[in-house]
Amino acid sequence: MLLEPIYEQEFMECSFGFRPGRSAHDALQYLWKQCMDNQVRWILDVDIRSYFDTLDHAKLREIVSQRVRDGVVRKLIDKWLKAGVMEAGELSYRAQGTPQGGVISPILSNIYLHEVLDKWFAHEVKVRLKGRAFLVRYADDFVMGFEYEEDAQRVYAVLPKRFGKYGLNLHPTKTRLIPFGRPCTEQEGSQRTAEQGKGVFDFLGFTHYWGKTRKGGYAVKRKTAAKRMSRGLKAISQWVQSQLHLPIRDQWEKLVQKLNGHFAYYGITGNAEALERFRDAAKRLWHKWLNRRSRQSGGMSWQRFEELLKQFYPLPPPRVVHSIYAAKS
């Protein structure tokens, strides 16, 4: 409560995680707009290895002391950082990282990356680039966009050194530079490089890619990332299997909640096909386990299952909750 008002006036527009009035969908919308407006041709997709477990306490204290001079508050922050972690009945104390589950961890992690990344990119990096560039960050998950490959390569080369200075490491295989140029339309000619329009990257659970619009142009589109899709369906399958002892109505009510929760996050413009596939797969998983439960009485045919859904247990249709058109207006 004390730190948030102090740092909210310093945190930048590109930062969205763990901040009041800002959400993952705001970050996605910001990313979409930057890609559409800034002639982005290259995306630097960065993964910080074990960020919350490797945050340097000494560096963090140094950063916090620049704005917070009250010794009592700084001592309280120190106590939070030194708090033990109970795992498998054993208490351990870490010399680095923020305490998992600690209420102060989100803002401390934001303060750290604000200094390490956000300020550095805005005040030292962008002024030295030839073309346009942007950064969008949600907690420790972030991507950078560049107009020119030369700029992207320069930042890519210096980024590990910058993070190493603060005790952080980038994942060598998950951090990558991706060609992400807008494809040319037929009217714009055929001078299209091999990499344009072929790059894709994942951010906040969505795969971002260039796709054709109804008017024949190109726009950045988003669909549910494959890993998130499979993870979500696996969770549905495990849940249904564990709840087979419940009456069908109770199972249906919970499944409806889960589907609506999925649509509430992944229901964005252009993702209708993935939402429909998730709903259809969840429906088939429910039938699979109900059929196994009913084997002693002959099982439950697909036709019988469809009749039950139609008459008594309808599943909610996929819906777009977050529209880019609403955001534009």
Side-chain angles (χ1 to χ4, degrees), residues 49-61 80-83 85 92-100 112 166-169:
R49 177 180 280 170
S50 303
Y51 170 65
F52 289 95
D53 294 330
T54 57
L55 191 147
D56 189 293
H57 287 182
K59 292 286 186 183
L60 177 59
R61 292 188 189 99
W80 246 306
L81 291 174
K82 293 176 181 177
V85 178
S92 61
Y93 297 90
R94 296 180 178 177
Q96 58 185 12
T98 55
Q100 295 185 19
Y112 203 71
Y166 289 87
L168 301 174
N169 296 297

Side-chain angles (χ1 to χ4, degrees), residues 85-118:
V85 178
M86 183 75 74
E87 292 179 315
E90 293 187 7
L91 185 63
S92 61
Y93 297 90
R94 296 180 178 177
Q96 58 185 12
T98 55
Q100 295 185 19
V103 294
I104 202 171
S105 295
I107 193 166
L108 290 181
S109 63
N110 257 347
I111 292 170
Y112 203 71
L113 280 182
H114 172 71
E115 183 70 27
V116 175
L117 178 65
D118 301 355

Side-chain angles (χ1 to χ4, degrees), residues 43-49 142 156 159-160 169-178:
I43 291 289
L44 184 53
D45 184 12
V46 184
D47 184 272
I48 307 175
R49 177 180 280 170
F142 69 94
Y156 192 12
L159 205 57
N169 296 297
L170 303 185
H171 200 291
T173 57
K174 294 181 180 179
T175 299
R176 57 202 182 106
L177 186 59
I178 304 159

Side-chain angles (χ1 to χ4, degrees), residues 248-260:
I248 291 182
R249 174 161 291 278
D250 291 351
Q251 294 181 40
W252 167 71
E253 289 176 351
K254 293 288 186 181
L255 183 57
V256 166
Q257 291 177 8
K258 290 181 179 295
L259 287 174
N260 281 331

